[in-house]
Amino acid sequence: MKILLDECLPLDFRHSFPNHEAHTTQWVGLKSKKNGELLLAAEMAGYDVLLTVRSGHTPPTAIRQ
């Protein structure tokens, strides 16, 4: 499974998924992209999961399959 970690998460958090391909937005060149733009870029790059920490009450959005 390909996992993309948003820049709001610690860089070392990627090591929490040893059986998966986990990258940070910084590593793949997507740092500073926001909301829908980041979700679309993650989907286009073949990621299965986008992990982020969001404040507020906006419901999460899943990557389409």
Side-chain angles (χ1 to χ4, degrees), residues 2-42:
K2 282 182 77 173
I3 302 169
L4 182 61
L5 305 176
D6 198 1
E7 63 189 79
C8 59
L9 296 167
L11 292 175
D12 288 338
F13 190 55
R14 70 188 185 280
H15 300 299
S16 300
F17 308 96
N19 298 320
H20 302 287
E21 190 177 342
H23 303 128
T24 63
T25 54
Q26 181 177 356
W27 189 80
V28 296
L30 298 176
K31 187 175 179 181
S32 300
K33 295 211 181 282
K34 301 294 180 196
N35 301 326
E37 184 181 14
L38 178 58
L39 186 60
L40 180 61

